[in-house]
């Protein structure tokens, strides 16, 4: 990746911070929802127990994307301007998105939100309530050999309506609301970790 590309992808040149300082935690996300994610390809590694797979997410100019699994299968995705997932292949999240990120407001440490949504497109209709909080900020964080700027950590409790054992989710978001790492776990499952490996244009 060239220096120009690195700048456009909001990649930091400084060493990663071990923990946000008190001054740093006051940082507020610099994000313009009217601008789409810059076109390019993000490569991720998914680890689930001993099973490791890879997939690439190619982002289009309009902010939509296609995920190519390591099997070669393409799965279309669509996002809101605030980077929330609206649909993933045949699955759709209603009334408007899946609530991963706060809509209408920048992220800052201490921010909380709750979003109720329904997943359709499978064999059954699934209702969930996702409750999230921004818990940390780091000026830079290194993942997959690349150092990313302005990284916020969110923690969510994703509860399926009518079921016990909610999912606990921890996500790292780089500048531009690029997902750098997603960890999903519950008492009944092997943790799933999706981590960015590389960014290219």
């Amino acid at each position: 990746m060239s220096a120009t590309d690195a700048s456009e992808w909001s990649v930091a040149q400084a060493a990663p911070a071990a923990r946000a300082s008190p001054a740093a935690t006051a940082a507020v996300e610099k994000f313009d929802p009217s601008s789409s994610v810059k076109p390019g390809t993000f490569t991720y590694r998914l680890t689930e127990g001993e099973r490791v797979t890879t997939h690439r997410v190619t982002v289009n100019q309009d902010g939509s994307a296609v995920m190519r699994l390591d099997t070669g299968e393409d799965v279309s995705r669509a996002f809101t301007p605030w980077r929330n997932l609206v649909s993933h292949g045949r699955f759709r999240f209603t009334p408007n998105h899946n609530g991963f990120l706060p809509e209408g407001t920048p992220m800052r440490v201490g921010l909380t939100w709750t979003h109720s949504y329904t997943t359709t497109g499978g064999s059954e209709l699934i209702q969930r309530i996702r409750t999230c909080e921004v818990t940390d900020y780091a000026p830079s964080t290194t993942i997959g050999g690349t150092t990313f700027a302005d990284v916020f950590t969110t923690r969510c409790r994703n509860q399926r309506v009518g079921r016990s054992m909610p999912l606990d989710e921890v996500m790292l978001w780089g500048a531009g609301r690029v997902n750098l790492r997603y960890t999903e776990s519950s008492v009944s499952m092997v943790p799933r970790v999706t981590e960015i490996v590389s960014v290219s244009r």
Side-chain angles (χ1 to χ4, degrees), residues 79-114:
F79 300 86
T80 71
W82 289 87
R83 307 292 184 263
N84 275 306
L85 195 60
V86 174
S87 63
H88 181 189
R90 72 179 187 277
F91 297 100
R92 185 168 183 83
F93 304 99
T94 56
N96 43 18
H97 57 79
N98 66 0
F100 263 138
L101 289 159
E103 295 264 332
T105 184
M107 287 199 288
R108 57 176 172 74
V109 174
L111 179 69
T112 61
W113 67 97
T114 298

Side-chain angles (χ1 to χ4, degrees), residues 30 33 41 70 73 94 124 128 140 157 178 183:
K30 303 176 184 70
T41 299
D70 56 3
E73 179 185 0
T94 56
E124 60 181 323
R128 288 185 175 276
S140 61
R157 174 63 58 93
V178 175
T183 302

Side-chain angles (χ1 to χ4, degrees), residues 115-196:
H115 182 74
S116 300
Y117 68 100
T118 299
T119 303
T120 57
S123 58
E124 60 181 323
L125 183 147
I126 297 174
Q127 295 179 301
R128 288 185 175 276
I129 299 173
R130 176 174 272 125
T131 302
C132 302
E133 179 181 4
V134 181
T135 60
D136 204 0
Y137 167 80
S140 61
T141 296
T142 300
I143 300 178
T146 303
T147 300
F148 297 90
D150 296 324
V151 177
F152 287 86
T153 299
T154 63
R155 295 180 180 272
C156 301
R157 174 63 58 93
N158 190 348
Q159 178 67 64
R160 180 171 173 177
V161 175
R163 296 283 182 91
S164 58
M165 296 181 294
L167 295 176
D168 290 315
E169 302 167 318
V170 180
M171 287 159 276
L172 268 63
W173 301 94
R177 297 196 168 198
V178 175
N179 185 230
L180 307 179
R181 181 186 296 140
Y182 169 77
T183 302
E184 175 185 272
S185 61
S186 76
V187 296
S188 63
M189 64 178 285
V190 175
R192 292 164 52 95
V193 180
T194 302
E195 186 170 83
I196 199 166

